[in-house]
Structures are given as structure tokens and as C-alpha cells.
Amino acid sequence: EKRTMTLIEKNGFHDSVYINAAKIFQGIRGEKRKDRILVRYAGDDSGSPTLTFKDEYSQRVSYELAFSALKYQDILEELLLDSCVYPCHAIPDELTSLLVVMLYDLQDRKFQARKIFNEEEPVAEVQEVEHYLHSFRTKLTAALARCRIKHNALSIEYILPEAIRKQEQRASALPLCVWINTFKISPEDVFRDLKKKGFTRVESVSDFTRYTYCMDQHCHDVLVFPSSLKEELLHLDLFADGKLLLQ
């Protein structure tokens, strides 16, 4: 049976996702001693920002983007300083969190331009920061290369402390548990839809290959998938329509 799944490219997010991620990051970012502060953040540090999400997907990726920026905060700040992107009088300290969040996403896309279709109303601050970062793309790429050479690392993931890298490896290997929203769809209809998409149902996790899944042994409305399928699963209509929910 022909597979219908395709590799999902990293094209960037809507402007509202960057704004929400920046607000979240502002509240959770790591604080440094006053004598070590080189990158300054201004704004609301309450940790309880006012957030408006378009849908569940926007909420999930906003938090993921914010926590990714937090994880790499020291490295991202080093890139900003080394490339002379920061400080900049055109970008006020109130937008530093947005600058850091968008820099993480930009390097995660290998400094490729954002591709957004059916864009929402553009947000001026996001457009401003994006244009500014792209104007320094060559210097940022060079700064990242110097950072990798300095740490003898293939990518910024390898610059993280070993304990964090091991923790991430364990987390990424865990199977994905998915709830069937039986208010919207029956398990039988889910099975048929997944079969059309190229998925094969197996008996247990030990039988997993690429596009496979199994039923939870104790909860009959829970499906289990290989961890490697997370991004592809979340782009299925079953998730977009709220018929399947990632635990």
C-alpha cells in the first residue's frame, strides 16, 4: 500500500506564534547576575502573560518554541553578541525576548526564509525583528560556525550539557500516547482513516516499524505510536479536527 506521509519541512510560524512564544519566554527565561548581564530584557516578568491562541496547534508550538529558546538561551545570546546583532538601537529591550525566540527558529530552519501560507494579520514587531535578523543572516551564520568550532560540536544540540542531552534522548525515545475523542469519532473510523494514510496496526510496541501503531493494553480509547512520527501525526486532519489528541 502506498505511503501518503511526507517529510514536513520547517517553514516557520504565523506572527501570533512568535508573539505568544516571546511572552512565555519573557516569563521563564534564565536570570543572570547583574555583573554578567550582557543581553537585557525589558517588559513583563510576571510569568503569567496574557496569551491568545488561535487553536491547539498554535498553543503547542508557542510553548515548544519558548522552551526551546530557554534551553538554548546562553548560546542564542552568544550568537547575538558575536554577530553584533545585539545591541541595536532599532530593536528596543522590550523586544529582546522576541529577538531570541525568532533567532532560535531562524537557525533551526538553517537560516532559510519563512514560508507562511494563509497568513493572519501581520504583526509589526515580528516583521521588524524578522527583517532585522535576515539583514544579519551572513554574520549570524558565521557566528554559529565559530560557536560550533569553539565547542567542537556538529550542531548547537551538542553544545548543551551532557545531562540535558541524555534527558532529551530518553524523552524523545518514549512512544506517543494519543487519545481518541469518542465524542467526535469512533475507534473503527480512526482505524480506517489511519489505514488510508498508510499506517499499519500491530499488536504491541515491540512490533513497531516506521508507520505503525498499537492499542494501549489498558485503555481502549488510547493509541500508541513511535516517537519519530510526532510532527507527521500532528499534521493529520484527525488531529486538526480534534478527533485525536496527543497526551
Side-chain angles (χ1 to χ4, degrees):
E1 190 173 20
K2 184 180 178 181
R3 301 295 187 194
T4 60
M5 308 300 291
T6 57
L7 179 65
I8 300 203
E9 296 181 357
K10 295 179 179 179
N11 293 327
F13 306 105
H14 290 296
D15 287 12
S16 60
V17 169
Y18 294 114
I19 290 295
N20 284 323
K23 289 179 179 179
I24 297 166
F25 176 77
Q26 177 72 17
I28 62 175
R29 61 182 173 77
E31 293 280 3
K32 294 183 174 64
R33 296 199 319 258
K34 288 186 177 181
D35 61 335
R36 294 185 58 200
I37 293 177
L38 295 175
V39 176
R40 300 187 178 278
Y41 300 83
D44 184 10
D45 296 329
S46 63
S48 301
T50 302
L51 304 170
T52 303
F53 300 108
K54 183 178 67 172
D55 49 34
E56 188 274 337
Y57 172 76
S58 297
Q59 180 180 19
R60 179 180 63 83
V61 295
S62 294
Y63 275 96
E64 286 185 353
L65 185 55
F67 278 91
S68 292
L70 174 66
K71 183 168 58 178
Y72 294 102
Q73 181 180 341
D74 289 344
I75 300 170
L76 295 170
E77 289 180 357
E78 181 180 338
L79 295 182
L80 289 174
L81 293 166
D82 186 33
S83 62
C84 297
V85 170
Y86 185 93
C88 170
H89 297 299
I91 305 296
D93 290 346
E94 287 78 6
L95 295 182
T96 302
S97 288
L98 181 61
L99 187 68
V100 170
V101 163
M102 294 191 72
L103 174 57
Y104 171 80
D105 179 59
L106 181 61
Q107 67 78 33
D108 195 41
R109 287 184 278 116
K110 311 301 181 187
F111 295 95
Q112 297 301 306
R114 186 166 53 134
K115 299 176 183 177
I116 293 296
F117 304 97
N118 299 321
E119 175 62 285
E120 306 166 323
E121 187 70 24
V123 178
E125 292 85 355
V126 173
Q127 302 290 320
E128 178 185 2
V129 170
E130 182 174 45
H131 177 75
Y132 181 67
L133 285 172
H134 272 280
S135 69
F136 278 85
R137 184 164 55 179
T138 301
K139 290 186 176 181
L140 284 166
T141 304
L144 178 59
R146 286 192 293 272
C147 183
R148 286 169 46 200
I149 292 171
K150 173 184 174 182
H151 294 278
N152 192 26
L154 293 174
S155 65
I156 66 171
E157 288 84 359
Y158 292 95
I159 303 175
L160 292 173
E162 185 177 0
I164 295 179
R165 282 191 281 119
K166 286 184 177 180
Q167 188 179 47
E168 286 197 330
Q169 289 171 358
R170 288 194 296 267
S172 64
L174 293 174
L176 303 172
C177 291
V178 173
W179 293 92
I180 299 174
N181 185 353
T182 53
F183 290 104
K184 290 189 173 184
I185 193 170
S186 67
E188 291 72 23
D189 286 338
V190 170
F191 302 152
R192 279 194 289 270
D193 195 298
L194 289 173
K195 186 175 181 179
K196 290 179 182 177
K197 295 293 190 297
F199 286 89
T200 301
R201 183 175 165 186
V202 296
E203 290 299 317
S204 69
V205 172
S206 60
D207 299 319
F208 276 173
T209 54
R210 184 70 173 105
Y211 291 108
T212 52
Y213 72 96
C214 67
M215 298 289 296
D216 185 90
Q217 294 182 355
H218 306 288
C219 302
H220 298 300
D221 58 351
V222 174
L223 306 180
V224 184
F225 292 84
S227 59
S228 60
L229 294 178
K230 182 177 180 181
E231 286 300 320
E232 292 174 286
L233 287 173
L234 292 171
H235 281 73
L236 294 178
D237 290 340
L238 288 169
F239 282 87
D241 298 336
K243 295 175 181 177
L244 290 182
L245 305 170
L246 184 64
Q247 184 178 7

